[in-house]
Amino acid sequence: MAGILKSVSGKNKINLKNKKFALVVAEWNEEITETLFNGAYQALLELGAKKDNIIRKNVPGSFELPLGAQQMAGQKKIDAVICIGCVIQGDTPHFDYICQAVANGIMNVNLKFNKPVAFGVLTTLNKKQALERAGGRLGNKGEEAAVTVVKMLTP
Ligand code: RBF
């Protein structure tokens, strides 16, 4: 945890006390997305965000993340959005279409609302690779997504 969080530093380090975050979480591959969610949530708290300023919205699958993100980013009070999902190729014959649609959709929300909307979505060949990136030997990509939005909020 400490390593990646340390990358948010410098004299411009932003005070997150009054910043509001939305976490949009896909329910598919819930075992993985819950771990990613917890990584993102804890990282925000450690970086100075307040519990009351973090809201969560669940969506059925990763394909629904862009719409969920749009609903959140469209609210004036929300400063940044973190999308959490996990698409596993082994289970998903239309893997490439889903991943492409989700990535494009999330990018569109960034640009439409001029707010950081992070892509905290694992796109892996199998569950083992997903677990490695959800608190395993390759870290927690949810945590990294939280660090990303904080960096983007930093002047
Ligand atoms: N959603 C995910 O977030 N991850 C997946 O691995 C995933 N695999 C799917 C596989 C199939 C065959 C289908 C039909 C859907 C899958 N979804 C997955 C759900 C998808 O993101 C979306 O919720 C549904 O297609 C409904 O729009």
Coordinates of all heavy atoms in Angstrom, one line a residue, residues 54-151:
I54 N -17.4 9.9 0.2 CA -17.2 8.8 -0.8 C -18.5 8.0 -1.0 O -19.1 7.5 0.0 CB -16.1 7.8 -0.3 CG1 -14.8 8.6 0.0 CG2 -15.9 6.7 -1.4 CD1 -13.7 7.7 0.6
I55 N -19.1 8.0 -2.2 CA -20.3 7.3 -2.4 C -20.1 6.1 -3.4 O -19.2 6.2 -4.2 CB -21.5 8.2 -2.9 CG1 -21.2 8.8 -4.2 CG2 -21.8 9.2 -1.9 CD1 -22.4 9.4 -4.8
R56 N -20.9 5.1 -3.2 CA -20.7 3.9 -4.0 C -22.0 3.7 -4.8 O -23.1 3.8 -4.3 CB -20.5 2.7 -3.1 CG -20.5 1.4 -3.9 CD -20.1 0.2 -3.0 NE -20.2 -1.0 -3.7 CZ -19.6 -2.1 -3.4 NH1 -18.8 -2.2 -2.4 NH2 -19.8 -3.2 -4.2
K57 N -21.8 3.3 -6.1 CA -22.9 2.9 -6.9 C -22.6 1.6 -7.6 O -21.6 1.4 -8.2 CB -23.2 3.9 -8.0 CG -24.3 3.5 -8.9 CD -24.6 4.5 -10.1 CE -25.6 4.0 -11.1 NZ -26.9 3.7 -10.5
N58 N -23.4 0.6 -7.4 CA -23.2 -0.7 -8.1 C -23.9 -0.7 -9.4 O -25.0 -0.2 -9.6 CB -23.8 -1.8 -7.2 CG -22.9 -2.3 -6.1 OD1 -21.9 -1.6 -5.8 ND2 -23.1 -3.5 -5.6
V59 N -23.3 -1.4 -10.4 CA -23.9 -1.7 -11.7 C -23.7 -3.2 -11.9 O -22.9 -3.8 -11.4 CB -23.2 -0.9 -12.8 CG1 -23.5 0.6 -12.6 CG2 -21.7 -1.1 -12.9
P60 N -24.6 -3.8 -12.8 CA -24.6 -5.2 -13.0 C -23.2 -5.7 -13.5 O -22.6 -6.7 -12.9 CB -25.7 -5.5 -14.0 CG -26.6 -4.3 -13.9 CD -25.7 -3.1 -13.5
G61 N -22.7 -5.2 -14.6 CA -21.5 -5.6 -15.2 C -20.6 -4.5 -15.7 O -21.0 -3.3 -15.6
S62 N -19.4 -4.8 -16.2 CA -18.5 -3.8 -16.6 C -19.1 -2.9 -17.8 O -18.8 -1.8 -17.9 CB -17.2 -4.4 -17.1 OG -16.5 -4.9 -15.9
F63 N -19.9 -3.6 -18.6 CA -20.5 -2.9 -19.7 C -21.4 -1.7 -19.3 O -21.5 -0.7 -20.0 CB -21.4 -3.9 -20.5 CG -21.9 -3.4 -21.9 CD1 -21.0 -3.2 -22.9 CD2 -23.2 -3.0 -22.1 CE1 -21.4 -2.7 -24.1 CE2 -23.6 -2.5 -23.3 CZ -22.7 -2.4 -24.3
E64 N -21.9 -1.8 -18.1 CA -22.7 -0.7 -17.5 C -21.9 0.4 -16.8 O -22.5 1.4 -16.3 CB -23.8 -1.3 -16.5 CG -24.9 -2.0 -17.2 CD -24.6 -3.4 -17.8 OE1 -23.8 -4.1 -17.1 OE2 -25.1 -3.7 -18.9
L65 N -20.6 0.2 -16.7 CA -19.8 1.2 -16.0 C -19.8 2.6 -16.6 O -20.0 3.6 -15.9 CB -18.3 0.7 -15.9 CG -18.0 -0.4 -14.9 CD1 -16.6 -0.9 -15.1 CD2 -18.2 0.1 -13.5
P66 N -19.8 2.7 -17.9 CA -19.8 4.1 -18.5 C -21.1 4.8 -18.1 O -21.0 6.0 -17.8 CB -19.7 3.9 -20.0 CG -18.9 2.6 -20.1 CD -19.4 1.7 -19.0
L67 N -22.2 4.1 -18.2 CA -23.5 4.8 -17.8 C -23.5 5.2 -16.3 O -23.9 6.3 -16.0 CB -24.7 4.0 -18.2 CG -26.0 4.6 -17.8 CD1 -26.3 6.0 -18.5 CD2 -27.2 3.6 -18.2
G68 N -23.1 4.2 -15.5 CA -23.0 4.5 -14.1 C -22.1 5.7 -13.8 O -22.4 6.6 -13.0
A69 N -20.9 5.7 -14.5 CA -20.0 6.8 -14.3 C -20.6 8.1 -14.8 O -20.4 9.2 -14.1 CB -18.7 6.5 -15.1
Q70 N -21.3 8.1 -15.9 CA -21.9 9.3 -16.4 C -23.0 9.9 -15.4 O -23.0 11.1 -15.2 CB -22.6 9.0 -17.7 CG -23.3 10.2 -18.3 CD -23.7 9.9 -19.8 OE1 -22.9 10.1 -20.7 NE2 -24.9 9.4 -20.0
Q71 N -23.7 9.0 -14.8 CA -24.7 9.4 -13.8 C -24.1 10.1 -12.6 O -24.6 11.0 -12.0 CB -25.6 8.2 -13.4 CG -26.5 7.7 -14.5 CD -27.2 6.4 -14.2 OE1 -26.8 5.7 -13.3 NE2 -28.1 6.0 -15.0
M72 N -22.9 9.6 -12.3 CA -22.2 10.1 -11.1 C -21.5 11.4 -11.5 O -21.6 12.5 -10.8 CB -21.1 9.1 -10.6 CG -21.7 7.9 -10.0 SD -22.6 8.4 -8.4 CE -24.2 8.0 -8.8
A73 N -20.7 11.4 -12.6 CA -19.9 12.6 -13.0 C -20.8 13.8 -13.4 O -20.4 14.9 -13.3 CB -19.1 12.2 -14.2
G74 N -22.1 13.5 -13.8 CA -23.0 14.5 -14.1 C -23.5 15.3 -12.9 O -24.2 16.3 -13.0
Q75 N -23.2 14.8 -11.7 CA -23.7 15.5 -10.5 C -22.6 16.6 -10.1 O -21.4 16.2 -10.0 CB -23.9 14.5 -9.3 CG -25.0 13.5 -9.6 CD -25.1 12.6 -8.5 OE1 -25.0 12.9 -7.3 NE2 -25.5 11.3 -8.8
K76 N -23.1 17.8 -9.9 CA -22.1 18.9 -9.7 C -21.2 18.6 -8.5 O -20.0 19.0 -8.5 CB -23.0 20.2 -9.4 CG -22.3 21.4 -10.1 CD -23.2 22.6 -10.0 CE -22.3 23.8 -10.2 NZ -22.8 25.0 -9.5
K77 N -21.8 18.0 -7.5 CA -21.0 17.8 -6.2 C -19.9 16.8 -6.3 O -19.0 16.8 -5.5 CB -22.0 17.4 -5.1 CG -22.6 16.0 -5.4 CD -23.6 15.6 -4.3 CE -24.1 14.2 -4.6 NZ -25.2 13.7 -3.8
I78 N -19.9 15.9 -7.3 CA -18.9 14.9 -7.5 C -17.7 15.5 -8.2 O -17.8 16.0 -9.3 CB -19.4 13.7 -8.3 CG1 -20.7 13.1 -7.6 CG2 -18.3 12.6 -8.5 CD1 -20.4 12.3 -6.3
D79 N -16.5 15.3 -7.6 CA -15.2 15.8 -8.1 C -14.5 14.7 -9.0 O -13.8 15.1 -9.9 CB -14.3 16.2 -7.0 CG -14.8 17.4 -6.2 OD1 -14.9 18.5 -6.8 OD2 -15.2 17.2 -5.1
A80 N -14.7 13.5 -8.7 CA -14.0 12.4 -9.4 C -14.7 11.1 -9.3 O -15.4 10.9 -8.3 CB -12.5 12.3 -8.9
V81 N -14.5 10.2 -10.3 CA -15.2 8.9 -10.3 C -14.2 7.8 -10.5 O -13.2 8.0 -11.3 CB -16.3 8.9 -11.5 CG1 -17.0 7.6 -11.5 CG2 -17.3 10.1 -11.3
I82 N -14.4 6.7 -9.9 CA -13.5 5.6 -10.1 C -14.4 4.4 -10.5 O -15.3 4.0 -9.8 CB -12.7 5.2 -8.8 CG1 -11.9 6.4 -8.3 CG2 -11.9 4.0 -9.0 CD1 -11.3 6.3 -6.9
C83 N -14.1 3.9 -11.7 CA -14.8 2.7 -12.2 C -14.1 1.4 -11.8 O -12.9 1.3 -12.1 CB -15.0 2.8 -13.7 SG -16.0 4.2 -14.2
I84 N -14.8 0.5 -11.3 CA -14.2 -0.8 -10.9 C -14.9 -1.9 -11.6 O -16.1 -2.0 -11.5 CB -14.4 -1.0 -9.3 CG1 -13.8 0.2 -8.5 CG2 -13.9 -2.3 -8.9 CD1 -12.3 0.2 -8.4
G85 N -14.1 -2.8 -12.2 CA -14.7 -3.9 -12.9 C -13.7 -5.0 -13.2 O -12.5 -4.8 -13.0
C86 N -14.1 -6.1 -13.7 CA -13.2 -7.2 -14.0 C -13.8 -8.0 -15.1 O -14.9 -8.6 -15.0 CB -13.0 -8.1 -12.8 SG -12.0 -9.5 -13.1
V87 N -13.2 -8.0 -16.3 CA -13.6 -8.8 -17.4 C -12.6 -9.9 -17.6 O -11.4 -9.6 -17.8 CB -13.8 -7.9 -18.7 CG1 -14.5 -8.7 -19.8 CG2 -14.5 -6.6 -18.4
I88 N -13.1 -11.1 -17.6 CA -12.2 -12.3 -17.7 C -12.5 -13.0 -19.1 O -13.6 -13.4 -19.3 CB -12.4 -13.3 -16.5 CG1 -12.0 -12.5 -15.2 CG2 -11.5 -14.5 -16.7 CD1 -12.1 -13.4 -14.0
Q89 N -11.4 -13.1 -19.8 CA -11.6 -13.6 -21.2 C -12.1 -15.0 -21.2 O -13.0 -15.3 -22.1 CB -10.3 -13.5 -22.0 CG -10.4 -13.9 -23.4 CD -9.2 -13.7 -24.3 OE1 -8.1 -13.7 -23.7 NE2 -9.4 -13.4 -25.5
G90 N -11.6 -15.8 -20.4 CA -12.1 -17.2 -20.3 C -13.6 -17.4 -20.3 O -14.2 -18.3 -20.9
D91 N -14.2 -16.4 -19.6 CA -15.7 -16.5 -19.4 C -16.4 -15.7 -20.4 O -17.7 -15.6 -20.4 CB -16.1 -16.0 -18.0 CG -15.4 -16.7 -16.9 OD1 -14.9 -17.8 -17.2 OD2 -15.4 -16.2 -15.8
T92 N -15.7 -15.0 -21.3 CA -16.4 -13.9 -22.1 C -16.0 -14.0 -23.5 O -15.0 -13.4 -23.9 CB -16.0 -12.5 -21.5 OG1 -16.1 -12.6 -20.1 CG2 -16.9 -11.5 -22.0
P93 N -16.8 -14.7 -24.3 CA -16.4 -14.8 -25.8 C -16.3 -13.5 -26.4 O -15.6 -13.3 -27.4 CB -17.6 -15.7 -26.4 CG -18.3 -16.3 -25.2 CD -18.0 -15.4 -24.0
H94 N -17.2 -12.5 -26.0 CA -17.1 -11.2 -26.6 C -16.2 -10.2 -25.8 O -16.5 -9.0 -25.8 CB -18.6 -10.7 -26.8 CG -19.3 -10.6 -25.5 ND1 -19.3 -11.6 -24.6 CD2 -20.1 -9.7 -25.0 CE1 -20.1 -11.3 -23.6 NE2 -20.6 -10.1 -23.8
F95 N -15.2 -10.8 -25.2 CA -14.3 -10.1 -24.4 C -13.8 -8.7 -25.0 O -13.9 -7.7 -24.4 CB -13.1 -11.0 -24.2 CG -11.9 -10.4 -23.4 CD1 -12.0 -10.3 -22.0 CD2 -10.7 -10.0 -24.0 CE1 -10.9 -9.8 -21.2 CE2 -9.7 -9.5 -23.3 CZ -9.8 -9.4 -21.9
D96 N -13.3 -8.9 -26.3 CA -12.7 -7.7 -26.9 C -13.7 -6.6 -27.1 O -13.4 -5.4 -26.9 CB -12.1 -8.0 -28.3 CG -10.9 -8.9 -28.1 OD1 -10.2 -8.8 -27.1 OD2 -10.6 -9.7 -29.1
Y97 N -15.0 -6.9 -27.5 CA -16.0 -5.9 -27.7 C -16.3 -5.2 -26.3 O -16.5 -4.0 -26.3 CB -17.3 -6.5 -28.2 CG -17.1 -7.2 -29.5 CD1 -17.1 -8.6 -29.6 CD2 -16.9 -6.4 -30.7 CE1 -16.9 -9.2 -30.9 CE2 -16.8 -7.1 -31.9 CZ -16.7 -8.4 -32.0 OH -16.5 -9.0 -33.2
I98 N -16.5 -6.0 -25.3 CA -16.8 -5.4 -24.0 C -15.7 -4.5 -23.5 O -15.9 -3.3 -23.2 CB -17.0 -6.5 -22.9 CG1 -18.2 -7.4 -23.3 CG2 -17.1 -5.9 -21.5 CD1 -19.4 -7.4 -22.3
C99 N -14.4 -5.0 -23.6 CA -13.3 -4.2 -23.1 C -13.2 -2.9 -23.9 O -13.0 -1.8 -23.3 CB -12.0 -4.9 -23.2 SG -11.9 -6.4 -22.2
Q100 N -13.3 -2.9 -25.2 CA -13.3 -1.8 -26.0 C -14.4 -0.8 -25.7 O -14.2 0.4 -25.5 CB -13.4 -2.2 -27.5 CG -13.2 -1.1 -28.5 CD -11.7 -1.0 -28.9 OE1 -11.1 -1.9 -29.3 NE2 -11.2 0.2 -28.6
A101 N -15.6 -1.3 -25.6 CA -16.8 -0.4 -25.3 C -16.6 0.2 -23.9 O -16.9 1.4 -23.8 CB -18.0 -1.3 -25.3
V102 N -16.1 -0.5 -23.0 CA -16.0 0.0 -21.6 C -14.9 1.1 -21.6 O -15.1 2.2 -21.1 CB -15.6 -1.1 -20.6 CG1 -15.4 -0.5 -19.2 CG2 -16.8 -2.1 -20.5
A103 N -13.8 0.8 -22.2 CA -12.7 1.8 -22.2 C -13.1 3.1 -23.0 O -12.9 4.2 -22.5 CB -11.4 1.2 -22.9
N104 N -13.7 2.9 -24.1 CA -14.2 4.1 -24.9 C -15.2 4.9 -24.1 O -15.2 6.1 -24.0 CB -14.8 3.7 -26.2 CG -13.7 3.3 -27.2 OD1 -12.5 3.7 -27.1 ND2 -14.1 2.6 -28.2
G105 N -16.1 4.1 -23.5 CA -17.2 4.8 -22.7 C -16.7 5.6 -21.6 O -17.1 6.7 -21.3
I106 N -15.7 5.0 -20.9 CA -15.2 5.7 -19.7 C -14.4 6.9 -20.1 O -14.5 8.0 -19.5 CB -14.4 4.7 -18.8 CG1 -15.3 3.7 -18.2 CG2 -13.6 5.5 -17.8 CD1 -14.6 2.6 -17.3
M107 N -13.6 6.8 -21.2 CA -12.9 8.0 -21.7 C -13.9 9.1 -22.1 O -13.6 10.3 -21.8 CB -12.1 7.6 -22.9 CG -11.3 8.7 -23.6 SD -10.3 9.7 -22.4 CE -8.9 8.6 -22.2
N108 N -15.0 8.7 -22.7 CA -16.0 9.8 -23.1 C -16.5 10.5 -21.9 O -16.7 11.7 -22.0 CB -17.2 9.1 -23.9 CG -16.8 8.7 -25.2 OD1 -15.8 9.1 -25.8 ND2 -17.6 7.7 -25.8
V109 N -16.7 9.8 -20.8 CA -17.2 10.5 -19.6 C -16.2 11.5 -19.0 O -16.5 12.6 -18.6 CB -17.7 9.4 -18.5 CG1 -18.2 10.2 -17.3 CG2 -18.7 8.5 -19.1
N110 N -14.9 11.1 -19.1 CA -13.8 12.0 -18.7 C -13.9 13.3 -19.4 O -13.9 14.4 -18.8 CB -12.4 11.4 -19.0 CG -11.9 10.5 -18.0 OD1 -11.2 10.9 -17.1 ND2 -12.1 9.2 -18.2
L111 N -14.0 13.2 -20.7 CA -14.0 14.4 -21.6 C -15.3 15.2 -21.6 O -15.3 16.4 -21.6 CB -13.6 14.0 -23.0 CG -12.3 13.2 -23.1 CD1 -12.0 12.8 -24.6 CD2 -11.1 14.0 -22.6
K112 N -16.4 14.4 -21.5 CA -17.7 15.1 -21.4 C -17.9 16.0 -20.2 O -18.4 17.1 -20.3 CB -18.8 14.1 -21.5 CG -20.2 14.7 -21.4 CD -21.3 13.6 -21.7 CE -22.7 14.1 -21.5 NZ -23.7 13.0 -21.6
F113 N -17.4 15.5 -19.1 CA -17.6 16.3 -17.8 C -16.4 17.0 -17.3 O -16.4 17.7 -16.3 CB -18.2 15.4 -16.7 CG -19.6 14.9 -17.1 CD1 -19.8 13.6 -17.6 CD2 -20.7 15.7 -16.9 CE1 -21.0 13.2 -17.9 CE2 -22.0 15.3 -17.2 CZ -22.1 14.0 -17.8
N114 N -15.3 16.8 -18.0 CA -14.0 17.4 -17.6 C -13.6 17.1 -16.2 O -13.2 18.0 -15.4 CB -14.1 18.9 -17.9 CG -12.7 19.6 -17.9 OD1 -11.7 18.9 -18.3 ND2 -12.6 20.9 -17.6
K115 N -13.9 15.9 -15.8 CA -13.5 15.4 -14.4 C -12.8 14.1 -14.6 O -13.0 13.3 -15.5 CB -14.8 15.1 -13.7 CG -15.7 16.3 -13.3 CD -16.9 15.9 -12.6 CE -17.8 17.1 -12.3 NZ -19.1 16.8 -11.6
P116 N -11.9 13.8 -13.6 CA -11.2 12.5 -13.7 C -12.2 11.3 -13.5 O -12.9 11.3 -12.5 CB -10.2 12.6 -12.5 CG -10.3 13.9 -12.0 CD -11.5 14.6 -12.5
V117 N -12.1 10.4 -14.4 CA -12.9 9.2 -14.3 C -12.0 8.0 -14.5 O -11.5 7.8 -15.7 CB -14.1 9.1 -15.3 CG1 -14.9 7.9 -15.1 CG2 -15.0 10.4 -15.2
A118 N -11.6 7.3 -13.5 CA -10.5 6.3 -13.6 C -11.0 5.0 -14.2 O -12.2 4.6 -13.9 CB -9.8 6.1 -12.3
F119 N -10.2 4.3 -14.9 CA -10.4 3.0 -15.5 C -9.8 1.9 -14.6 O -8.7 1.5 -14.8 CB -9.8 2.9 -16.9 CG -10.1 1.7 -17.7 CD1 -11.2 1.5 -18.4 CD2 -9.1 0.7 -17.7 CE1 -11.5 0.3 -19.1 CE2 -9.3 -0.5 -18.4 CZ -10.5 -0.7 -19.1
G120 N -10.6 1.6 -13.5 CA -10.1 0.6 -12.6 C -10.7 -0.8 -13.0 O -11.3 -1.5 -12.2
V121 N -10.5 -1.2 -14.2 CA -11.1 -2.4 -14.8 C -10.0 -3.4 -15.2 O -9.2 -3.1 -16.0 CB -12.0 -2.0 -16.0 CG1 -12.7 -3.3 -16.5 CG2 -13.0 -0.9 -15.7
L122 N -10.0 -4.5 -14.6 CA -9.1 -5.6 -15.0 C -9.6 -6.2 -16.2 O -10.8 -6.5 -16.3 CB -9.0 -6.6 -13.8 CG -8.4 -6.1 -12.5 CD1 -8.3 -7.3 -11.5 CD2 -7.0 -5.5 -12.7
T123 N -8.7 -6.5 -17.2 CA -9.1 -7.2 -18.4 C -8.1 -8.3 -18.5 O -7.0 -8.1 -19.0 CB -9.1 -6.3 -19.6 OG1 -7.8 -5.7 -19.7 CG2 -10.1 -5.2 -19.5
T124 N -8.4 -9.5 -18.0 CA -7.4 -10.5 -17.9 C -7.8 -11.8 -18.7 O -9.0 -12.0 -19.0 CB -7.1 -10.9 -16.4 OG1 -8.3 -11.4 -15.9 CG2 -6.6 -9.7 -15.6
L125 N -6.8 -12.7 -18.9 CA -7.1 -13.9 -19.6 C -7.8 -14.9 -18.7 O -8.5 -15.8 -19.2 CB -5.8 -14.5 -20.1 CG -5.0 -13.7 -21.1 CD1 -3.7 -14.4 -21.5 CD2 -5.8 -13.4 -22.3
N126 N -7.5 -14.8 -17.4 CA -8.1 -15.8 -16.5 C -8.2 -15.3 -15.1 O -7.7 -14.2 -14.8 CB -7.3 -17.1 -16.5 CG -5.8 -16.8 -16.2 OD1 -5.5 -16.1 -15.3 ND2 -4.9 -17.3 -17.0
K127 N -8.9 -16.0 -14.2 CA -9.1 -15.6 -12.9 C -7.8 -15.4 -12.1 O -7.7 -14.5 -11.3 CB -10.0 -16.5 -12.1 CG -10.5 -16.1 -10.8 CD -11.6 -17.0 -10.2 CE -11.8 -16.5 -8.8 NZ -12.8 -17.5 -8.1
K128 N -6.8 -16.3 -12.3 CA -5.6 -16.2 -11.6 C -4.9 -14.8 -11.9 O -4.4 -14.2 -10.9 CB -4.6 -17.3 -12.1 CG -3.3 -17.3 -11.5 CD -2.5 -18.6 -11.8 CE -1.1 -18.6 -11.3 NZ -0.1 -17.8 -12.2
Q129 N -4.9 -14.4 -13.1 CA -4.3 -13.1 -13.4 C -5.0 -12.0 -12.7 O -4.5 -11.0 -12.3 CB -4.3 -12.8 -14.9 CG -3.3 -13.7 -15.7 CD -3.3 -13.3 -17.2 OE1 -4.2 -12.7 -17.7 NE2 -2.3 -13.8 -17.9
A130 N -6.4 -12.1 -12.6 CA -7.2 -11.1 -12.0 C -6.8 -11.0 -10.5 O -6.6 -10.0 -9.9 CB -8.7 -11.4 -12.2
L131 N -6.7 -12.2 -9.8 CA -6.4 -12.2 -8.4 C -5.1 -11.6 -8.1 O -4.9 -11.0 -7.1 CB -6.5 -13.7 -7.9 CG -7.9 -14.3 -7.8 CD1 -7.8 -15.8 -7.6 CD2 -8.7 -13.6 -6.6
E132 N -4.1 -11.8 -9.0 CA -2.8 -11.3 -8.8 C -2.8 -9.7 -8.8 O -2.0 -9.1 -8.2 CB -1.8 -11.7 -10.0 CG -1.4 -13.2 -9.9 CD -0.6 -13.7 -11.1 OE1 -0.7 -13.0 -12.1 OE2 0.0 -14.7 -11.0
R133 N -3.8 -9.2 -9.5 CA -3.9 -7.7 -9.6 C -5.0 -7.1 -8.6 O -5.2 -6.0 -8.6 CB -4.3 -7.3 -11.0 CG -3.2 -7.6 -12.0 CD -3.7 -7.7 -13.5 NE -2.5 -7.9 -14.4 CZ -1.9 -9.1 -14.6 NH1 -2.3 -10.2 -13.9 NH2 -0.9 -9.2 -15.4
A134 N -5.6 -8.0 -7.9 CA -6.6 -7.6 -6.9 C -6.1 -8.0 -5.5 O -6.6 -8.9 -4.8 CB -7.9 -8.2 -7.2
G135 N -5.0 -7.4 -5.1 CA -4.4 -7.7 -3.8 C -3.4 -8.8 -3.8 O -2.9 -9.1 -2.7
G136 N -3.0 -9.3 -4.9 CA -2.0 -10.3 -5.0 C -0.6 -9.8 -5.3 O -0.4 -8.6 -5.0
R137 N 0.2 -10.6 -6.0 CA 1.6 -10.2 -6.1 C 1.8 -9.0 -7.0 O 2.8 -8.3 -7.0 CB 2.4 -11.4 -6.6 CG 2.2 -11.7 -8.1 CD 3.1 -12.9 -8.5 NE 2.7 -13.2 -9.9 CZ 3.4 -12.6 -11.0 NH1 4.4 -11.9 -10.8 NH2 3.0 -12.9 -12.2
L138 N 0.8 -8.6 -7.8 CA 0.9 -7.4 -8.7 C 0.2 -6.2 -8.1 O -0.1 -5.3 -8.8 CB 0.5 -7.7 -10.1 CG 1.4 -8.8 -10.8 CD1 0.8 -9.2 -12.1 CD2 2.8 -8.4 -10.9
G139 N -0.1 -6.3 -6.8 CA -0.7 -5.1 -6.2 C -2.3 -5.1 -6.3 O -2.9 -6.1 -6.5
N140 N -2.8 -3.9 -6.1 CA -4.3 -3.8 -6.2 C -4.6 -2.6 -7.1 O -4.3 -1.4 -6.8 CB -4.8 -3.5 -4.8 CG -6.4 -3.5 -4.8 OD1 -7.0 -2.9 -5.7 ND2 -7.0 -4.1 -3.8
K141 N -5.2 -3.0 -8.3 CA -5.4 -1.9 -9.3 C -6.5 -1.0 -8.9 O -6.6 0.1 -9.5 CB -5.7 -2.6 -10.6 CG -4.6 -3.5 -11.2 CD -3.3 -2.7 -11.5 CE -2.2 -3.7 -11.7 NZ -0.9 -3.0 -11.8
G142 N -7.3 -1.3 -7.9 CA -8.3 -0.4 -7.4 C -7.6 0.8 -6.7 O -7.9 2.0 -6.8
E143 N -6.6 0.4 -5.9 CA -5.8 1.4 -5.2 C -5.1 2.3 -6.2 O -5.1 3.6 -6.1 CB -4.7 0.6 -4.5 CG -4.0 1.3 -3.4 CD -3.0 0.4 -2.8 OE1 -3.4 -0.6 -2.2 OE2 -1.8 0.6 -2.8
E144 N -4.6 1.7 -7.3 CA -3.9 2.6 -8.3 C -4.9 3.5 -9.0 O -4.5 4.7 -9.3 CB -3.3 1.7 -9.4 CG -2.0 0.9 -8.8 CD -1.4 0.0 -9.9 OE1 -1.5 0.2 -11.1 OE2 -0.7 -0.9 -9.4
A145 N -6.1 3.1 -9.2 CA -7.1 3.9 -9.8 C -7.4 5.1 -8.9 O -7.6 6.2 -9.4 CB -8.4 3.1 -10.1
A146 N -7.5 4.9 -7.6 CA -7.7 6.0 -6.6 C -6.6 7.0 -6.7 O -6.8 8.2 -6.7 CB -7.9 5.4 -5.2
V147 N -5.3 6.5 -6.7 CA -4.2 7.4 -6.8 C -4.3 8.2 -8.1 O -4.0 9.4 -8.1 CB -2.9 6.5 -6.7 CG1 -1.7 7.4 -7.1 CG2 -2.7 6.0 -5.3
T148 N -4.7 7.6 -9.2 CA -4.8 8.2 -10.5 C -5.7 9.5 -10.4 O -5.4 10.6 -10.8 CB -5.3 7.3 -11.6 OG1 -4.3 6.3 -11.7 CG2 -5.5 8.0 -12.9
V149 N -6.9 9.3 -9.8 CA -7.9 10.4 -9.8 C -7.3 11.5 -8.9 O -7.5 12.7 -9.2 CB -9.3 10.1 -9.4 CG1 -10.0 9.2 -10.5 CG2 -9.5 9.5 -8.0
V150 N -6.7 11.1 -7.8 CA -6.1 12.1 -6.9 C -5.0 12.9 -7.6 O -5.0 14.2 -7.5 CB -5.6 11.5 -5.6 CG1 -4.8 12.5 -4.8 CG2 -6.7 10.9 -4.8
K151 N -4.2 12.2 -8.4 CA -3.2 13.0 -9.2 C -3.8 13.9 -10.2 O -3.3 15.0 -10.4 CB -2.2 12.0 -9.9 CG -1.2 11.3 -9.0 CD -0.3 10.4 -9.7 CE 0.8 9.8 -8.9 NZ 1.6 8.8 -9.5

